[in-house]
Amino acid sequence: MRDYILTQAASVDRTFTFPALNRIVANWRKRRQLRQLEQLDDHVLMDIGLTRDELIRVQRSPLGVDPLTELLGAKPATRGLRHK
């Protein structure tokens, strides 16, 4: 399944004239959406499983890097679980 997804992603990149530019624009749009999340209260962000510092950190990554992949990849498995 993983190979299929990677192949599909590579073929989608080839359909655009400038795949690198397409990726940069897509990453820029994702950063714009993450900026909107920053306007939420800390309690709401905590319910979602994010912190304001994480949002700021991924927005500062280079434009060639997908901020959502960085954000989801940095999350530990036990994140968001509350201990009793």
Side-chain angles (χ1 to χ4, degrees):
M1 183 62 141
R2 181 178 178 267
D3 293 334
Y4 172 77
I5 292 171
L6 291 175
T7 303
Q8 290 292 13
S11 66
V12 167
D13 260 358
R14 282 188 231 118
T15 61
F16 291 101
T17 307
F18 300 105
L21 181 61
N22 181 51
R23 232 181 351 264
I24 289 172
V25 170
N27 290 342
W28 175 78
R29 287 182 179 153
K30 291 174 187 177
R31 282 176 174 75
R32 199 167 76 184
Q33 292 172 347
L34 289 173
R35 269 186 259 130
Q36 292 175 348
L37 282 177
E38 272 188 74
Q39 296 174 1
L40 297 174
D41 291 336
D42 288 334
H43 296 292
V44 175
L45 287 175
M46 190 181 306
D47 286 343
I48 296 172
L50 299 173
T51 65
R52 196 168 308 281
D53 292 335
E54 289 173 335
L55 291 173
I56 293 170
R57 179 186 55 82
V58 297
Q59 289 181 49
R60 291 183 179 164
S61 60
L63 275 177
V65 176
D66 184 0
L68 296 181
T69 304
E70 286 290 312
L71 188 62
L72 296 175
K75 296 229 172 274
T78 60
R79 176 86 196 234
L81 297 178
R82 294 186 179 161
H83 300 288
K84 293 181 181 180

